[in-house]
Amino acid sequence: MKSIEKNPRIIVALDYPAAEPALELVSGLDPALCRLKVGKEMFTRLGPGFVERLVSRGFDVFLDLKFHDIPNTVAAACDAAADLGVWMINLHASGGAPMMEAAMERLNRHPNRPLLVAVTVLTSLSDQDIAKVGYRGTTAETVLRLAALTADSGLDGIVCSPREVTEVRRGIGQDFLLVTPGVRPRSAALDDQKRVMTPLDALNNGADMLVIGRPITAAADPLASLKDIRESISGFNPA
Ligand code: C5P
């Protein structure tokens, strides 16, 4: 298992329709204070060159493309992501153990490989939705089963809701990275997030890193907002 530097624990989600506002925000941020996440929208619009610009500015970049395909294709995509110099990538655990193992095997050929984490069940899906897909059991049971499969496949961790953190931590143990979106400082608007938790509560429950978008990106002063959130977790003392 790769040794993992967890600080800075805040990953700012860059969800913009164009490069300019994202780069304007990024020029006011500092790689020592946060990491950055690029998702499907920005990557599809702007391509790998945009990711490389962020990497060249010294930021750890989480490329959130949630790969899901046959093992050979996902392994090749992970290889391409590693060549961009990103810090973390992800895939869907429902692609199965052979897919996850192939991805990991390919990444291990890189001397400084990106971290690889899995999405278990999309938090937008209800118990009824996943039953229609064909999963047995509740979403909570499915999350735990796929988290165990992810750990058995040798990945570094999962992306999960802060509400799932306690159960997953109990089920899988300490040596497994838990990255959580759906985090809101007490003062912030909920936006479209329904089940949120404060940054400090998420960390105290066992999360390692927090993905936070609009409370920072939509703030009048994003750097001040980032610093406020950092201050709110400064008392966090990992066990
Ligand atoms: O702006 P906000 O803090 O809600 O952004 C959260 C980020 O995390 C977005 O990029 C969103 O796509 C992502 N995300 C999420 N909930 C999930 C998975 C990913 O909010 N369950």
Side-chain angles (χ1 to χ4, degrees):
M1 180 68 68
K2 183 179 156 93
S3 85
I4 299 174
E5 173 54 62
K6 295 183 181 163
N7 289 306
R9 291 178 185 267
I10 297 172
I11 305 169
V12 178
L14 294 179
D15 294 312
Y16 291 98
E20 293 73 25
L23 291 172
E24 193 184 317
L25 173 89
V26 168
S27 5
L29 300 176
D30 179 341
L33 303 184
C34 67
R35 288 159 158 148
L36 301 174
K37 179 173 89 69
V38 174
K40 287 190 170 94
E41 180 187 9
M42 295 209 83
F43 189 79
T44 304
R45 283 193 188 281
L46 303 169
F50 177 69
V51 175
E52 284 170 319
R53 283 177 81 171
L54 302 175
V55 171
S56 71
R57 291 185 183 200
F59 285 93
D60 282 346
V61 175
F62 173 15
L63 188 60
D64 177 18
L65 298 182
K66 301 185 182 72
F67 296 136
H68 189 173
D69 210 312
I70 58 171
N72 187 53
T73 301
V74 168
C78 288
D79 202 24
D83 286 342
L84 290 178
V86 299
W87 157 78
M88 179 185 280
I89 53 185
N90 60 358
L91 45 66
H92 277 281
S94 54
M99 185 196 80
M100 290 195 274
E101 287 165 6
M104 218 45 231
E105 191 276 323
R106 192 73 64 93
L107 286 178
N108 277 327
R109 298 184 200 170
H110 290 259
N112 187 22
R113 71 164 174 87
L115 297 169
L116 182 60
V117 296
V119 174
T120 56
V121 178
L122 293 170
T123 50
S124 49
L125 299 178
S126 65
D127 285 355
Q128 288 84 350
D129 292 326
I130 68 159
K132 285 185 194 158
V133 173
Y135 285 130
R136 277 175 288 111
T138 63
T139 52
E141 288 160 353
T142 310
V143 165
L144 211 52
R145 193 172 67 245
L146 288 172
L149 186 68
T150 302
D152 289 346
S153 303
L155 272 66
D156 299 297
I158 59 167
V159 181
C160 64
S161 145
R163 305 278 160 192
E164 297 159 357
V165 157
T166 308
E167 279 289 296
V168 174
R169 190 55 86 206
R170 194 179 301 136
I172 313 287
Q174 290 304 315
D175 197 16
F176 196 60
L177 203 60
L178 302 185
V179 180
T180 59
V183 178
R184 286 288 178 273
R186 225 171 273 289
S187 57
L190 294 185
D191 304 308
D192 53 355
Q193 298 281 10
K194 295 194 178 68
R195 294 179 300 132
V196 299
M197 199 175 274
T198 68
L200 185 59
D201 287 344
L203 293 175
N204 281 333
N205 283 354
D208 295 299
M209 288 172 200
L210 313 170
V211 174
I212 306 178
R214 288 160 292 179
I216 295 169
T217 58
D221 183 344
L223 184 60
S225 167
L226 171 62
K227 286 183 171 163
D228 283 349
I229 297 171
R230 283 174 57 86
E231 176 62 27
S232 77
I233 60 173
S234 60
F236 173 61
N237 207 350

